[in-house]
Amino acid sequence: MKRRVDAVLLFTSSVIFFAALTLQARQRAGSVGIDFHELEREVVKELSTARTSPRSYASYVKEMRRYFYGKELRRPDDITILTKEGDAAVLEAIQFLESVKPLPALRLSHGMSQGAHDHVEVQGKNGTVGHGSIEGSQPWERISRYGTWKKMVGENIAYGQFRARDVVTSLIVDDGVPGRGHRQNIFNPNFRVVGTACGPHAIYGTMCVIIFAGEYIEKKE
């Protein structure tokens, strides 16, 4: 008997907020020593800063604008990245951050992070993308292995990012994503708990899975 799902929010995965990187991303991943556990911790910090101080976080996004040349983002000591919307999406994100009301920080869940890690383990090795896993599981099913979620679930995935701030700002800008679904997840007041996992990806170099829930009860050992 299938469990009834009252509210599940899922949005298209973000292959960063730019065009695909493929070979360059893989080469870069091999040349950069990434501490993925530290990256996960920093992603949670960035999410909390964005939610609790959105106007301050807008300053980080503003800094990005100076490196746009048409639809290309050309940051020093970084690869040139082609966006879909260019500076317009960044400007729209800044306006959003300067107008949205602050929200409480998200509580980190070990069980939800483990569910996110399961997805990274499978998808990273196979180089696939998306919320569904090749073994057939969905985000709410993966976190249900380690606890019980309530109210609602949402998931964001960023590929090709090497810095926590880039992960979060890319999802807030949400270049080319109709409805800015990733941004909506980050600033959804009904989400109170988060799990994160980052790791290597066979095609895009890195991936970070961020899964949200209204409530979550950890499974007892």
Side-chain angles (χ1 to χ4, degrees):
M1 182 176 180
K2 291 185 177 181
R3 176 184 174 184
R4 181 172 175 265
V5 179
D6 293 316
V8 178
L9 304 183
L10 296 175
F11 297 101
T12 305
S13 305
S14 176
V15 181
I16 62 176
F17 66 108
F18 318 105
L21 302 181
T22 59
L23 179 59
Q24 285 179 304
R26 292 200 303 272
Q27 291 173 338
R28 188 177 173 206
S31 64
V32 177
I34 301 174
D35 183 337
F36 286 108
H37 292 300
E38 179 63 20
L39 180 58
E40 291 162 358
R41 289 190 288 269
E42 290 300 315
V43 165
V44 174
K45 289 181 182 179
E46 292 292 324
L47 288 169
S48 293
T49 301
R51 281 174 59 103
T52 60
S53 303
R55 290 186 64 87
S56 297
Y57 209 82
S59 63
Y60 304 140
V61 185
K62 286 179 181 178
E63 177 70 14
M64 189 185 301
R65 294 191 68 199
R66 62 188 289 200
Y67 300 116
F68 269 90
Y69 298 83
K71 291 187 178 181
E72 290 185 348
L73 179 65
R74 306 176 190 169
R75 290 190 289 194
D77 302 319
D78 210 338
I79 59 176
T80 297
I81 300 172
L82 178 64
T83 69
K84 293 181 179 179
E85 299 177 61
D87 180 61
V90 179
L91 180 59
E92 191 260 338
I94 293 168
Q95 293 171 340
F96 170 86
L97 290 169
E98 291 181 336
S99 62
V100 70
K101 293 181 179 179
L103 294 169
L106 295 161
R107 177 174 64 83
L108 180 62
S109 162
H110 175 73
M112 288 173 60
S113 295
Q114 186 58 52
H117 181 265
D118 289 351
H119 196 44
V120 171
E121 279 287 293
V122 174
Q123 198 171 81
K125 293 176 182 177
N126 291 279
T128 51
V129 298
H131 298 285
S133 182
I134 58 173
E135 91 281 6
S137 68
Q138 295 294 329
W140 61 90
E141 295 172 320
R142 291 190 287 272
I143 64 173
S144 292
R145 298 168 186 163
Y146 307 100
T148 303
W149 64 270
K150 295 184 178 181
K151 296 183 179 179
M152 59 199 319
V153 173
E155 183 177 78
N156 290 351
I157 309 178
Y159 301 91
Q161 299 286 11
F162 296 78
R163 295 176 288 264
R165 184 157 294 167
D166 290 345
V167 170
V168 175
T169 54
S170 72
L171 294 168
I172 291 174
V173 173
D174 232 3
D175 176 76
V177 179
R180 311 300 191 204
H182 301 95
R183 182 196 301 167
Q184 287 187 33
N185 274 351
I186 293 172
F187 291 96
N188 189 327
N190 296 311
F191 285 140
R192 301 296 179 88
V193 193
V194 70
T196 64
C198 301
H201 188 273
I203 301 299
Y204 294 107
T206 65
M207 65 178 292
C208 284
V209 175
I210 305 169
I211 190 160
F212 307 87
E215 294 179 16
Y216 190 78
I217 301 171
E218 307 282 343
K219 184 178 290 186
K220 293 182 179 180
E221 298 292 337

mmCIF file with all atom_site columns, all heavy atoms in Angstrom, residues 159-182:
data_model
loop_
_atom_site.group_PDB
_atom_site.id
_atom_site.type_symbol
_atom_site.label_atom_id
_atom_site.label_alt_id
_atom_site.label_comp_id
_atom_site.label_asym_id
_atom_site.label_entity_id
_atom_site.label_seq_id
_atom_site.pdbx_PDB_ins_code
_atom_site.Cartn_x
_atom_site.Cartn_y
_atom_site.Cartn_z
_atom_site.occupancy
_atom_site.B_iso_or_equiv
_atom_site.pdbx_formal_charge
_atom_site.auth_seq_id
_atom_site.auth_comp_id
_atom_site.auth_asym_id
_atom_site.auth_atom_id
_atom_site.pdbx_PDB_model_num
ATOM 1   N N   . TYR A 1 159 ? 24.723 21.357 -9.969  1.00 0.00 ? 159 TYR A N   1
ATOM 2   C CA  . TYR A 1 159 ? 25.835 20.614 -10.553 1.00 0.00 ? 159 TYR A CA  1
ATOM 3   C C   . TYR A 1 159 ? 26.918 21.581 -11.022 1.00 0.00 ? 159 TYR A C   1
ATOM 4   O O   . TYR A 1 159 ? 26.622 22.645 -11.549 1.00 0.00 ? 159 TYR A O   1
ATOM 5   C CB  . TYR A 1 159 ? 25.359 19.797 -11.762 1.00 0.00 ? 159 TYR A CB  1
ATOM 6   C CG  . TYR A 1 159 ? 24.279 18.789 -11.456 1.00 0.00 ? 159 TYR A CG  1
ATOM 7   C CD1 . TYR A 1 159 ? 22.932 19.149 -11.566 1.00 0.00 ? 159 TYR A CD1 1
ATOM 8   C CD2 . TYR A 1 159 ? 24.588 17.502 -11.066 1.00 0.00 ? 159 TYR A CD2 1
ATOM 9   C CE1 . TYR A 1 159 ? 21.933 18.234 -11.293 1.00 0.00 ? 159 TYR A CE1 1
ATOM 10  C CE2 . TYR A 1 159 ? 23.592 16.580 -10.784 1.00 0.00 ? 159 TYR A CE2 1
ATOM 11  C CZ  . TYR A 1 159 ? 22.262 16.950 -10.899 1.00 0.00 ? 159 TYR A CZ  1
ATOM 12  O OH  . TYR A 1 159 ? 21.271 16.049 -10.621 1.00 0.00 ? 159 TYR A OH  1
ATOM 13  N N   . GLY A 1 160 ? 28.178 21.203 -10.829 1.00 0.00 ? 160 GLY A N   1
ATOM 14  C CA  . GLY A 1 160 ? 29.286 21.971 -11.372 1.00 0.00 ? 160 GLY A CA  1
ATOM 15  C C   . GLY A 1 160 ? 29.794 23.083 -10.493 1.00 0.00 ? 160 GLY A C   1
ATOM 16  O O   . GLY A 1 160 ? 30.678 23.829 -10.902 1.00 0.00 ? 160 GLY A O   1
ATOM 17  N N   . GLN A 1 161 ? 29.294 23.213 -9.267  1.00 0.00 ? 161 GLN A N   1
ATOM 18  C CA  . GLN A 1 161 ? 29.729 24.283 -8.373  1.00 0.00 ? 161 GLN A CA  1
ATOM 19  C C   . GLN A 1 161 ? 30.786 23.767 -7.407  1.00 0.00 ? 161 GLN A C   1
ATOM 20  O O   . GLN A 1 161 ? 30.672 22.667 -6.869  1.00 0.00 ? 161 GLN A O   1
ATOM 21  C CB  . GLN A 1 161 ? 28.544 24.839 -7.588  1.00 0.00 ? 161 GLN A CB  1
ATOM 22  C CG  . GLN A 1 161 ? 27.454 25.445 -8.460  1.00 0.00 ? 161 GLN A CG  1
ATOM 23  C CD  . GLN A 1 161 ? 27.866 26.786 -9.040  1.00 0.00 ? 161 GLN A CD  1
ATOM 24  O OE1 . GLN A 1 161 ? 29.022 27.183 -8.975  1.00 0.00 ? 161 GLN A OE1 1
ATOM 25  N NE2 . GLN A 1 161 ? 26.931 27.498 -9.623  1.00 0.00 ? 161 GLN A NE2 1
ATOM 26  N N   . PHE A 1 162 ? 31.802 24.585 -7.136  1.00 0.00 ? 162 PHE A N   1
ATOM 27  C CA  . PHE A 1 162 ? 32.902 24.198 -6.281  1.00 0.00 ? 162 PHE A CA  1
ATOM 28  C C   . PHE A 1 162 ? 32.953 24.984 -4.975  1.00 0.00 ? 162 PHE A C   1
ATOM 29  O O   . PHE A 1 162 ? 33.709 24.640 -4.084  1.00 0.00 ? 162 PHE A O   1
ATOM 30  C CB  . PHE A 1 162 ? 34.232 24.382 -7.025  1.00 0.00 ? 162 PHE A CB  1
ATOM 31  C CG  . PHE A 1 162 ? 34.369 23.483 -8.226  1.00 0.00 ? 162 PHE A CG  1
ATOM 32  C CD1 . PHE A 1 162 ? 33.727 23.791 -9.420  1.00 0.00 ? 162 PHE A CD1 1
ATOM 33  C CD2 . PHE A 1 162 ? 35.121 22.336 -8.153  1.00 0.00 ? 162 PHE A CD2 1
ATOM 34  C CE1 . PHE A 1 162 ? 33.844 22.963 -10.524 1.00 0.00 ? 162 PHE A CE1 1
ATOM 35  C CE2 . PHE A 1 162 ? 35.241 21.491 -9.246  1.00 0.00 ? 162 PHE A CE2 1
ATOM 36  C CZ  . PHE A 1 162 ? 34.607 21.805 -10.440 1.00 0.00 ? 162 PHE A CZ  1
ATOM 37  N N   . ARG A 1 163 ? 32.174 26.055 -4.889  1.00 0.00 ? 163 ARG A N   1
ATOM 38  C CA  . ARG A 1 163 ? 32.143 26.890 -3.696  1.00 0.00 ? 163 ARG A CA  1
ATOM 39  C C   . ARG A 1 163 ? 30.705 26.991 -3.196  1.00 0.00 ? 163 ARG A C   1
ATOM 40  O O   . ARG A 1 163 ? 29.760 27.114 -3.979  1.00 0.00 ? 163 ARG A O   1
ATOM 41  C CB  . ARG A 1 163 ? 32.694 28.280 -3.997  1.00 0.00 ? 163 ARG A CB  1
ATOM 42  C CG  . ARG A 1 163 ? 34.176 28.302 -4.371  1.00 0.00 ? 163 ARG A CG  1
ATOM 43  C CD  . ARG A 1 163 ? 34.632 29.706 -4.742  1.00 0.00 ? 163 ARG A CD  1
ATOM 44  N NE  . ARG A 1 163 ? 34.092 30.107 -6.038  1.00 0.00 ? 163 ARG A NE  1
ATOM 45  C CZ  . ARG A 1 163 ? 34.748 29.990 -7.189  1.00 0.00 ? 163 ARG A CZ  1
ATOM 46  N NH1 . ARG A 1 163 ? 35.967 29.474 -7.213  1.00 0.00 ? 163 ARG A NH1 1
ATOM 47  N NH2 . ARG A 1 163 ? 34.204 30.397 -8.314  1.00 0.00 ? 163 ARG A NH2 1
ATOM 48  N N   . ALA A 1 164 ? 30.559 26.981 -1.858  1.00 0.00 ? 164 ALA A N   1
ATOM 49  C CA  . ALA A 1 164 ? 29.226 26.981 -1.261  1.00 0.00 ? 164 ALA A CA  1
ATOM 50  C C   . ALA A 1 164 ? 28.417 28.204 -1.661  1.00 0.00 ? 164 ALA A C   1
ATOM 51  O O   . ALA A 1 164 ? 27.225 28.105 -1.951  1.00 0.00 ? 164 ALA A O   1
ATOM 52  C CB  . ALA A 1 164 ? 29.345 26.902 0.265   1.00 0.00 ? 164 ALA A CB  1
ATOM 53  N N   . ARG A 1 165 ? 29.059 29.359 -1.680  1.00 0.00 ? 165 ARG A N   1
ATOM 54  C CA  . ARG A 1 165 ? 28.323 30.582 -2.043  1.00 0.00 ? 165 ARG A CA  1
ATOM 55  C C   . ARG A 1 165 ? 27.842 30.507 -3.484  1.00 0.00 ? 165 ARG A C   1
ATOM 56  O O   . ARG A 1 165 ? 26.756 30.982 -3.812  1.00 0.00 ? 165 ARG A O   1
ATOM 57  C CB  . ARG A 1 165 ? 29.197 31.812 -1.821  1.00 0.00 ? 165 ARG A CB  1
ATOM 58  C CG  . ARG A 1 165 ? 28.476 33.132 -2.095  1.00 0.00 ? 165 ARG A CG  1
ATOM 59  C CD  . ARG A 1 165 ? 29.113 34.275 -1.365  1.00 0.00 ? 165 ARG A CD  1
ATOM 60  N NE  . ARG A 1 165 ? 28.974 34.130 0.074   1.00 0.00 ? 165 ARG A NE  1
ATOM 61  C CZ  . ARG A 1 165 ? 29.639 34.852 0.972   1.00 0.00 ? 165 ARG A CZ  1
ATOM 62  N NH1 . ARG A 1 165 ? 30.524 35.748 0.558   1.00 0.00 ? 165 ARG A NH1 1
ATOM 63  N NH2 . ARG A 1 165 ? 29.450 34.669 2.254   1.00 0.00 ? 165 ARG A NH2 1
ATOM 64  N N   . ASP A 1 166 ? 28.637 29.902 -4.355  1.00 0.00 ? 166 ASP A N   1
ATOM 65  C CA  . ASP A 1 166 ? 28.207 29.742 -5.748  1.00 0.00 ? 166 ASP A CA  1
ATOM 66  C C   . ASP A 1 166 ? 27.014 28.810 -5.854  1.00 0.00 ? 166 ASP A C   1
ATOM 67  O O   . ASP A 1 166 ? 26.122 29.013 -6.678  1.00 0.00 ? 166 ASP A O   1
ATOM 68  C CB  . ASP A 1 166 ? 29.361 29.206 -6.599  1.00 0.00 ? 166 ASP A CB  1
ATOM 69  C CG  . ASP A 1 166 ? 30.467 30.227 -6.793  1.00 0.00 ? 166 ASP A CG  1
ATOM 70  O OD1 . ASP A 1 166 ? 30.221 31.418 -6.524  1.00 0.00 ? 166 ASP A OD1 1
ATOM 71  O OD2 . ASP A 1 166 ? 31.569 29.831 -7.208  1.00 0.00 ? 166 ASP A OD2 1
ATOM 72  N N   . VAL A 1 167 ? 27.009 27.751 -5.022  1.00 0.00 ? 167 VAL A N   1
ATOM 73  C CA  . VAL A 1 167 ? 25.866 26.831 -5.013  1.00 0.00 ? 167 VAL A CA  1
ATOM 74  C C   . VAL A 1 167 ? 24.593 27.587 -4.684  1.00 0.00 ? 167 VAL A C   1
ATOM 75  O O   . VAL A 1 167 ? 23.583 27.504 -5.398  1.00 0.00 ? 167 VAL A O   1
ATOM 76  C CB  . VAL A 1 167 ? 26.084 25.689 -3.985  1.00 0.00 ? 167 VAL A CB  1
ATOM 77  C CG1 . VAL A 1 167 ? 24.800 24.882 -3.807  1.00 0.00 ? 167 VAL A CG1 1
ATOM 78  C CG2 . VAL A 1 167 ? 27.212 24.769 -4.432  1.00 0.00 ? 167 VAL A CG2 1
ATOM 79  N N   . VAL A 1 168 ? 24.626 28.352 -3.597  1.00 0.00 ? 168 VAL A N   1
ATOM 80  C CA  . VAL A 1 168 ? 23.410 29.011 -3.114  1.00 0.00 ? 168 VAL A CA  1
ATOM 81  C C   . VAL A 1 168 ? 23.014 30.186 -4.003  1.00 0.00 ? 168 VAL A C   1
ATOM 82  O O   . VAL A 1 168 ? 21.831 30.345 -4.338  1.00 0.00 ? 168 VAL A O   1
ATOM 83  C CB  . VAL A 1 168 ? 23.597 29.457 -1.645  1.00 0.00 ? 168 VAL A CB  1
ATOM 84  C CG1 . VAL A 1 168 ? 22.386 30.254 -1.164  1.00 0.00 ? 168 VAL A CG1 1
ATOM 85  C CG2 . VAL A 1 168 ? 23.797 28.229 -0.759  1.00 0.00 ? 168 VAL A CG2 1
ATOM 86  N N   . THR A 1 169 ? 23.973 31.005 -4.416  1.00 0.00 ? 169 THR A N   1
ATOM 87  C CA  . THR A 1 169 ? 23.603 32.130 -5.280  1.00 0.00 ? 169 THR A CA  1
ATOM 88  C C   . THR A 1 169 ? 23.066 31.653 -6.619  1.00 0.00 ? 169 THR A C   1
ATOM 89  O O   . THR A 1 169 ? 22.154 32.259 -7.185  1.00 0.00 ? 169 THR A O   1
ATOM 90  C CB  . THR A 1 169 ? 24.793 33.083 -5.510  1.00 0.00 ? 169 THR A CB  1
ATOM 91  O OG1 . THR A 1 169 ? 25.911 32.348 -6.013  1.00 0.00 ? 169 THR A OG1 1
ATOM 92  C CG2 . THR A 1 169 ? 25.176 33.792 -4.229  1.00 0.00 ? 169 THR A CG2 1
ATOM 93  N N   . SER A 1 170 ? 23.610 30.556 -7.148  1.00 0.00 ? 170 SER A N   1
ATOM 94  C CA  . SER A 1 170 ? 23.105 30.035 -8.417  1.00 0.00 ? 170 SER A CA  1
ATOM 95  C C   . SER A 1 170 ? 21.653 29.606 -8.299  1.00 0.00 ? 170 SER A C   1
ATOM 96  O O   . SER A 1 170 ? 20.842 29.821 -9.207  1.00 0.00 ? 170 SER A O   1
ATOM 97  C CB  . SER A 1 170 ? 23.966 28.868 -8.906  1.00 0.00 ? 170 SER A CB  1
ATOM 98  O OG  . SER A 1 170 ? 23.771 27.707 -8.131  1.00 0.00 ? 170 SER A OG  1
ATOM 99  N N   . LEU A 1 171 ? 21.304 29.006 -7.161  1.00 0.00 ? 171 LEU A N   1
ATOM 100 C CA  . LEU A 1 171 ? 19.928 28.552 -6.949  1.00 0.00 ? 171 LEU A CA  1
ATOM 101 C C   . LEU A 1 171 ? 18.984 29.726 -6.683  1.00 0.00 ? 171 LEU A C   1
ATOM 102 O O   . LEU A 1 171 ? 17.798 29.661 -7.008  1.00 0.00 ? 171 LEU A O   1
ATOM 103 C CB  . LEU A 1 171 ? 19.880 27.552 -5.794  1.00 0.00 ? 171 LEU A CB  1
ATOM 104 C CG  . LEU A 1 171 ? 20.612 26.231 -6.061  1.00 0.00 ? 171 LEU A CG  1
ATOM 105 C CD1 . LEU A 1 171 ? 20.770 25.434 -4.769  1.00 0.00 ? 171 LEU A CD1 1
ATOM 106 C CD2 . LEU A 1 171 ? 19.891 25.400 -7.111  1.00 0.00 ? 171 LEU A CD2 1
ATOM 107 N N   . ILE A 1 172 ? 19.500 30.785 -6.099  1.00 0.00 ? 172 ILE A N   1
ATOM 108 C CA  . ILE A 1 172 ? 18.679 31.975 -5.869  1.00 0.00 ? 172 ILE A CA  1
ATOM 109 C C   . ILE A 1 172 ? 18.448 32.721 -7.178  1.00 0.00 ? 172 ILE A C   1
ATOM 110 O O   . ILE A 1 172 ? 17.332 33.140 -7.484  1.00 0.00 ? 172 ILE A O   1
ATOM 111 C CB  . ILE A 1 172 ? 19.341 32.903 -4.830  1.00 0.00 ? 172 ILE A CB  1
ATOM 112 C CG1 . ILE A 1 172 ? 19.297 32.244 -3.446  1.00 0.00 ? 172 ILE A CG1 1
ATOM 113 C CG2 . ILE A 1 172 ? 18.633 34.263 -4.788  1.00 0.00 ? 172 ILE A CG2 1
ATOM 114 C CD1 . ILE A 1 172 ? 20.055 33.011 -2.378  1.00 0.00 ? 172 ILE A CD1 1
ATOM 115 N N   . VAL A 1 173 ? 19.496 32.888 -7.979  1.00 0.00 ? 173 VAL A N   1
ATOM 116 C CA  . VAL A 1 173 ? 19.333 33.534 -9.286  1.00 0.00 ? 173 VAL A CA  1
ATOM 117 C C   . VAL A 1 173 ? 18.432 32.685 -10.170 1.00 0.00 ? 173 VAL A C   1
ATOM 118 O O   . VAL A 1 173 ? 17.548 33.188 -10.863 1.00 0.00 ? 173 VAL A O   1
ATOM 119 C CB  . VAL A 1 173 ? 20.707 33.766 -9.947  1.00 0.00 ? 173 VAL A CB  1
ATOM 120 C CG1 . VAL A 1 173 ? 20.525 34.273 -11.374 1.00 0.00 ? 173 VAL A CG1 1
ATOM 121 C CG2 . VAL A 1 173 ? 21.523 34.758 -9.138  1.00 0.00 ? 173 VAL A CG2 1
ATOM 122 N N   . ASP A 1 174 ? 18.661 31.384 -10.173 1.00 0.00 ? 174 ASP A N   1
ATOM 123 C CA  . ASP A 1 174 ? 17.791 30.433 -10.878 1.00 0.00 ? 174 ASP A CA  1
ATOM 124 C C   . ASP A 1 174 ? 17.660 30.759 -12.367 1.00 0.00 ? 174 ASP A C   1
ATOM 125 O O   . ASP A 1 174 ? 16.561 30.748 -12.941 1.00 0.00 ? 174 ASP A O   1
ATOM 126 C CB  . ASP A 1 174 ? 16.412 30.389 -10.215 1.00 0.00 ? 174 ASP A CB  1
ATOM 127 C CG  . ASP A 1 174 ? 15.995 28.964 -9.873  1.00 0.00 ? 174 ASP A CG  1
ATOM 128 O OD1 . ASP A 1 174 ? 16.793 28.042 -10.102 1.00 0.00 ? 174 ASP A OD1 1
ATOM 129 O OD2 . ASP A 1 174 ? 14.867 28.782 -9.385  1.00 0.00 ? 174 ASP A OD2 1
ATOM 130 N N   . ASP A 1 175 ? 18.785 31.054 -12.993 1.00 0.00 ? 175 ASP A N   1
ATOM 131 C CA  . ASP A 1 175 ? 18.817 31.416 -14.404 1.00 0.00 ? 175 ASP A CA  1
ATOM 132 C C   . ASP A 1 175 ? 18.150 30.362 -15.278 1.00 0.00 ? 175 ASP A C   1
ATOM 133 O O   . ASP A 1 175 ? 18.465 29.176 -15.208 1.00 0.00 ? 175 ASP A O   1
ATOM 134 C CB  . ASP A 1 175 ? 20.282 31.585 -14.833 1.00 0.00 ? 175 ASP A CB  1
ATOM 135 C CG  . ASP A 1 175 ? 20.427 31.863 -16.317 1.00 0.00 ? 175 ASP A CG  1
ATOM 136 O OD1 . ASP A 1 175 ? 20.166 32.994 -16.743 1.00 0.00 ? 175 ASP A OD1 1
ATOM 137 O OD2 . ASP A 1 175 ? 20.802 30.929 -17.045 1.00 0.00 ? 175 ASP A OD2 1
ATOM 138 N N   . GLY A 1 176 ? 17.193 30.787 -16.084 1.00 0.00 ? 176 GLY A N   1
ATOM 139 C CA  . GLY A 1 176 ? 16.550 29.901 -17.040 1.00 0.00 ? 176 GLY A CA  1
ATOM 140 C C   . GLY A 1 176 ? 15.501 28.971 -16.468 1.00 0.00 ? 176 GLY A C   1
ATOM 141 O O   . GLY A 1 176 ? 14.952 28.143 -17.200 1.00 0.00 ? 176 GLY A O   1
ATOM 142 N N   . VAL A 1 177 ? 15.191 29.074 -15.189 1.00 0.00 ? 177 VAL A N   1
ATOM 143 C CA  . VAL A 1 177 ? 14.208 28.184 -14.556 1.00 0.00 ? 177 VAL A CA  1
ATOM 144 C C   . VAL A 1 177 ? 12.873 28.916 -14.411 1.00 0.00 ? 177 VAL A C   1
ATOM 145 O O   . VAL A 1 177 ? 12.776 29.888 -13.649 1.00 0.00 ? 177 VAL A O   1
ATOM 146 C CB  . VAL A 1 177 ? 14.689 27.707 -13.171 1.00 0.00 ? 177 VAL A CB  1
ATOM 147 C CG1 . VAL A 1 177 ? 13.640 26.804 -12.522 1.00 0.00 ? 177 VAL A CG1 1
ATOM 148 C CG2 . VAL A 1 177 ? 16.022 26.965 -13.305 1.00 0.00 ? 177 VAL A CG2 1
ATOM 149 N N   . PRO A 1 178 ? 11.840 28.481 -15.117 1.00 0.00 ? 178 PRO A N   1
ATOM 150 C CA  . PRO A 1 178 ? 10.530 29.139 -15.004 1.00 0.00 ? 178 PRO A CA  1
ATOM 151 C C   . PRO A 1 178 ? 10.004 29.087 -13.570 1.00 0.00 ? 178 PRO A C   1
ATOM 152 O O   . PRO A 1 178 ? 10.053 28.048 -12.922 1.00 0.00 ? 178 PRO A O   1
ATOM 153 C CB  . PRO A 1 178 ? 9.645  28.308 -15.947 1.00 0.00 ? 178 PRO A CB  1
ATOM 154 C CG  . PRO A 1 178 ? 10.601 27.650 -16.898 1.00 0.00 ? 178 PRO A CG  1
ATOM 155 C CD  . PRO A 1 178 ? 11.834 27.375 -16.086 1.00 0.00 ? 178 PRO A CD  1
ATOM 156 N N   . GLY A 1 179 ? 9.524  30.207 -13.084 1.00 0.00 ? 179 GLY A N   1
ATOM 157 C CA  . GLY A 1 179 ? 8.953  30.243 -11.746 1.00 0.00 ? 179 GLY A CA  1
ATOM 158 C C   . GLY A 1 179 ? 9.970  30.311 -10.634 1.00 0.00 ? 179 GLY A C   1
ATOM 159 O O   . GLY A 1 179 ? 9.606  30.395 -9.458  1.00 0.00 ? 179 GLY A O   1
ATOM 160 N N   . ARG A 1 180 ? 11.269 30.252 -10.965 1.00 0.00 ? 180 ARG A N   1
ATOM 161 C CA  . ARG A 1 180 ? 12.330 30.308 -9.947  1.00 0.00 ? 180 ARG A CA  1
ATOM 162 C C   . ARG A 1 180 ? 12.063 29.300 -8.831  1.00 0.00 ? 180 ARG A C   1
ATOM 163 O O   . ARG A 1 180 ? 12.080 29.614 -7.633  1.00 0.00 ? 180 ARG A O   1
ATOM 164 C CB  . ARG A 1 180 ? 12.455 31.712 -9.354  1.00 0.00 ? 180 ARG A CB  1
ATOM 165 C CG  . ARG A 1 180 ? 12.539 32.833 -10.374 1.00 0.00 ? 180 ARG A CG  1
ATOM 166 C CD  . ARG A 1 180 ? 13.725 32.719 -11.294 1.00 0.00 ? 180 ARG A CD  1
ATOM 167 N NE  . ARG A 1 180 ? 13.910 33.944 -12.087 1.00 0.00 ? 180 ARG A NE  1
ATOM 168 C CZ  . ARG A 1 180 ? 14.533 33.990 -13.253 1.00 0.00 ? 180 ARG A CZ  1
ATOM 169 N NH1 . ARG A 1 180 ? 15.031 32.885 -13.786 1.00 0.00 ? 180 ARG A NH1 1
ATOM 170 N NH2 . ARG A 1 180 ? 14.668 35.127 -13.902 1.00 0.00 ? 180 ARG A NH2 1
ATOM 171 N N   . GLY A 1 181 ? 11.830 28.048 -9.214  1.00 0.00 ? 181 GLY A N   1
ATOM 172 C CA  . GLY A 1 181 ? 11.462 27.019 -8.238  1.00 0.00 ? 181 GLY A CA  1
ATOM 173 C C   . GLY A 1 181 ? 12.498 26.760 -7.167  1.00 0.00 ? 181 GLY A C   1
ATOM 174 O O   . GLY A 1 181 ? 12.153 26.512 -6.004  1.00 0.00 ? 181 GLY A O   1
ATOM 175 N N   . HIS A 1 182 ? 13.782 26.804 -7.531  1.00 0.00 ? 182 HIS A N   1
ATOM 176 C CA  . HIS A 1 182 ? 14.821 26.570 -6.530  1.00 0.00 ? 182 HIS A CA  1
ATOM 177 C C   . HIS A 1 182 ? 14.825 27.686 -5.483  1.00 0.00 ? 182 HIS A C   1
ATOM 178 O O   . HIS A 1 182 ? 14.974 27.445 -4.292  1.00 0.00 ? 182 HIS A O   1
ATOM 179 C CB  . HIS A 1 182 ? 16.193 26.500 -7.201  1.00 0.00 ? 182 HIS A CB  1
ATOM 180 C CG  . HIS A 1 182 ? 16.307 25.427 -8.238  1.00 0.00 ? 182 HIS A CG  1
ATOM 181 N ND1 . HIS A 1 182 ? 16.109 25.659 -9.582  1.00 0.00 ? 182 HIS A ND1 1
ATOM 182 C CD2 . HIS A 1 182 ? 16.574 24.104 -8.123  1.00 0.00 ? 182 HIS A CD2 1
ATOM 183 C CE1 . HIS A 1 182 ? 16.265 24.530 -10.244 1.00 0.00 ? 182 HIS A CE1 1
ATOM 184 N NE2 . HIS A 1 182 ? 16.540 23.567 -9.394  1.00 0.00 ? 182 HIS A NE2 1
#
